[in-house]
Amino acid sequence: MFSRLFSFIVCLAIALGAYAQAPKYIFFFIGDGMGMGHVMTAQTYNRTVLGNDELLPMMQFPVSSLAMTYSASSKITDSAAAGTALSTGYKTNNGMLGMTPDETPVYSIATELQKRGYGIAVGTSVQPDDATPGAFYAHVKSRSMYYEIGLDMAHSGYDMFVGSKLRGLKDAAGNETGLIDSLRVNGYTVAFGREDFEKNKDNDKIVLLNNDSTIEHFGYTIDSIDSNLHLPYITQACLEHLTRVSPDKFFMMIEGGNIDWASHANDGGAVVKEILNFNEAIKIAYDFYLQHPDETLIVVTADHNTGGMQMGVKDGPAEVNLKNMDYQRVSIEKFQQYCKGLIDSGKNVEWDAMKSYLKANLGLYGSIAVSDEQDEAIREKFEKTFIEHESDDTETLYTTYNEFVNEVFTTLDHINGIGWTTTSHTGDFVPVFAIGVGSELFSNVNNNIDIPAKMRKIAGITK
Ligand SMILES: [Zn+2]
């Protein structure tokens, strides 16, 4: 009896100890689609091309491990099931958000922390109603129910949302849904772009969107659209906002959504630049941690691997050539838009003009040598696309690329030594990096559902 009582007291003391040490500030970074190969390629670029002796900020964290990502319905998860696992601690079917497979709503660590007085911000470089951010506040059976996801956002009570654009503003018939009004009725100021945000940032509840709603995401880092929102900017904005409205404790989730988009498109150069950009955002949280080391927890992970990106490709070059990524000035998406514009114009496109474009914007036929065989394959697709107008399109999850665009980027990544296994997701491990209060709990192999469970434990949340 005595020993039982003693163990009860010990357990109670440990539990109370956990409460006493609960982190006041929690940062959760999710690199969408960011697999091991993605991270290692970016780190190798950082070391060999940029000449940085220091590891990428996330790789400097004292705890690093792995997470398994499979969903309830598949060995290969999608972002909705993975987001739900990472936010709520429940496995669900691909496509479902904030619900178990039987459609029972489950609640995210953000909602639970909000109930305990934490300020909450959710930010992403893609749409704020997309699967990963949506998993932190929405409960829908399909990730494409954008209006319902938007309503859940309006009713969440969170302090700040950031992303590119909302997709629930019109219904299937094209009629206005009144979603912006629903956000406003629930106390949110909706700001479009940096200038508008700077004018409205004294409001307590903010939804910050891009000022350009014609693009689906913030624009790729490699395309350097200066006026757009970007991850470091929004991380700083969320930090300043939360520090003002909830200085005692807060939680923020920041998603590097463009890593996934670039990976679906198999654009290695764009992936590397997105991961560096993601790490600039992480650096902001890390600098905050250095000022509050005993009160802060930072966890970085990915929801799944997209594309199976690796250094090393079948029949590829003897050496990986990451320096070539510096000659790349446009993403595959920008290149696709350029080519589509030419096709739609109906004008004749001269090969010499295209060759000059490839040289100036991708380095091909200039700093990057193209073999006769590669030249022949590119020329063949060029003829088919621009002269014969018979090119087939390839669809990936988000975008459609014509054959010529695909051939050019396949050649570029092949010369660079970057290999891909798919334009979809893979079932591989993803990395986990952590620093701060309770971070040691993440040091073993994690199932993705363990991550919010461990956050709950560290924050002293008992069900
Ligand atoms: Zn994803």
Side-chain angles (χ1 to χ4, degrees):
M1 182 62 198
F2 176 76
S3 75
R4 235 190 248 176
L5 184 67
F6 181 73
S7 17
F8 173 74
I9 290 169
V10 169
C11 288
L12 189 70
I14 291 169
L16 290 174
Y19 275 102
Q21 291 163 14
K24 291 163 73 174
Y25 314 111
I26 303 176
F27 296 84
F28 195 6
F29 287 93
I30 301 177
D32 202 303
M34 186 180 73
M36 298 292 185
H38 303 63
V39 172
M40 197 56 212
T41 308
Q43 165 53 26
T44 306
Y45 174 89
N46 179 54
R47 177 176 66 85
T48 62
V49 181
L50 301 181
N52 284 332
D53 295 333
E54 286 194 338
L55 297 170
L56 293 176
M58 62 186 178
M59 292 176 70
Q60 295 178 32
F61 291 1
V63 173
S64 60
S65 62
L66 307 165
M68 298 185 285
T69 65
Y70 63 89
S71 73
S73 62
S74 175
K75 296 172 190 71
I76 301 178
T77 189
D78 81 325
S79 291
T84 302
L86 289 173
S87 60
T88 69
Y90 289 88
K91 296 265 184 195
T92 193
N93 294 343
N94 286 4
M96 296 180 78
L97 216 47
M99 285 183 170
T100 51
D102 64 0
E103 298 183 19
T104 307
V106 281
Y107 294 88
S108 78
I109 181 84
T111 304
E112 291 171 351
L113 287 168
Q114 179 194 29
K115 281 191 192 146
R116 287 159 179 83
Y118 282 68
I120 309 288
V122 171
T124 176
S125 57
V126 299
Q127 304 94 338
D129 52 19
D130 207 32
T132 308
F136 284 81
Y137 62 85
H139 310 278
V140 287
K141 60 185 179 190
S142 165
R143 60 183 283 178
S144 57
M145 294 165 67
Y146 301 123
Y147 172 64
E148 289 77 6
I149 295 172
L151 278 188
D152 282 350
M153 177 188 284
H155 297 142
S156 69
Y158 291 1
D159 302 282
M160 186 159 176
F161 290 95
V162 194
S164 57
K165 64 189 261 191
L166 291 168
R167 288 170 290 182
L169 303 181
K170 288 188 176 163
D171 63 18
N175 300 313
E176 302 276 342
T177 57
L179 182 55
I180 296 277
D181 287 339
S182 301
L183 285 161
R184 288 187 178 135
V185 164
N186 284 284
Y188 288 95
T189 295
V190 185
F192 296 90
R194 294 198 212 183
E195 219 174 289
D196 196 20
F197 171 63
E198 296 299 332
K199 273 187 238 152
N200 286 292
K201 66 183 188 182
D202 290 342
N203 291 289
D204 286 354
K205 293 203 185 299
I206 295 182
V207 177
L208 170 57
L209 303 171
N210 230 348
N211 46 357
D212 182 358
S213 65
T214 60
I215 53 171
E216 293 298 316
H217 50 80
F218 281 0
Y220 286 110
T221 303
I222 202 164
D223 294 326
S224 53
I225 309 165
D226 282 342
S227 56
N228 280 1
L229 301 174
H230 55 74
L231 279 185
Y233 177 84
I234 69 160
T235 304
Q236 185 64 37
C238 287
L239 182 56
E240 283 173 20
H241 187 72
L242 290 174
T243 309
R244 184 173 66 77
V245 300
S246 185
D248 292 341
K249 44 187 177 178
F250 58 75
F251 168 94
M252 75 162 86
M253 191 290 289
I254 299 288
E255 183 207 17
N258 272 350
I259 300 169
D260 182 55
W261 281 60
S263 300
H264 276 289
N266 286 185
D267 180 346
V271 167
V272 163
K273 304 292 162 80
E274 286 310 323
I275 292 180
L276 297 180
N277 188 254
F278 184 55
N279 272 268
E280 279 180 45
I282 292 169
K283 179 78 168 45
I284 291 166
Y286 181 56
D287 287 343
F288 182 88
Y289 159 84
L290 291 175
Q291 290 163 19
H292 310 272
D294 301 327
E295 298 163 317
T296 305
L297 169 66
I298 308 175
V299 178
V300 184
T301 189
D303 54 347
H304 49 76
N305 176 323
T306 301
M309 181 182 178
Q310 282 296 339
M311 287 182 288
V313 59
K314 196 175 176 210
D315 303 325
E319 185 51 274
V320 173
N321 302 301
L322 300 184
K323 170 80 183 120
N324 286 350
M325 289 177 174
D326 281 356
Y327 307 125
Q328 183 184 343
R329 300 188 204 292
V330 294
S331 64
I332 187 171
E333 194 172 303
K334 204 95 189 266
F335 184 49
Q336 164 69 22
Q337 285 161 3
Y338 172 74
C339 290
K340 188 168 185 304
L342 291 175
I343 294 165
D344 292 349
S345 76
K347 284 187 215 145
N348 275 343
V349 182
E350 301 289 336
W351 167 243
D352 280 348
M354 181 56 79
K355 199 171 165 182
S356 301
Y357 180 95
L358 295 178
K359 188 174 167 183
N361 293 288
L362 296 172
L364 291 169
Y365 296 99
S367 309
I368 305 174
V370 176
S371 72
D372 289 348
E373 208 180 318
Q374 288 161 340
D375 174 54
E376 207 175 296
I378 290 174
R379 290 286 291 271
E380 189 194 312
K381 302 288 185 195
F382 175 83
E383 301 269 326
K384 203 173 162 192
T385 305
F386 294 99
I387 313 291
E388 294 156 22
H389 304 286
E390 279 177 358
S391 156
D392 287 329
D393 288 340
T394 307
E395 264 183 64
T396 70
L397 180 62
Y398 304 113
T399 321
T400 301
Y401 299 103
N402 73 50
E403 268 184 276
F404 172 67
V405 168
N406 263 328
E407 188 65 37
V408 166
F409 268 78
T410 303
T411 306
L412 181 63
D413 272 11
H414 190 89
I415 294 172
N416 294 352
I418 299 297
W420 300 91
T421 59
T422 176
T423 55
S424 187
H425 299 173
T426 80
D428 196 10
F429 280 121
V430 292
V432 178
F433 304 105
I435 189 169
V437 184
S439 58
E440 64 282 355
L441 285 193
F442 298 92
S443 63
N444 58 334
V445 172
N446 297 274
N447 202 326
N448 55 4
I449 50 174
D450 299 338
I451 293 175
K454 288 174 184 180
M455 284 184 181
R456 283 189 182 110
K457 192 171 176 189
I458 295 163
I461 297 172
T462 45
K463 289 234 156 178

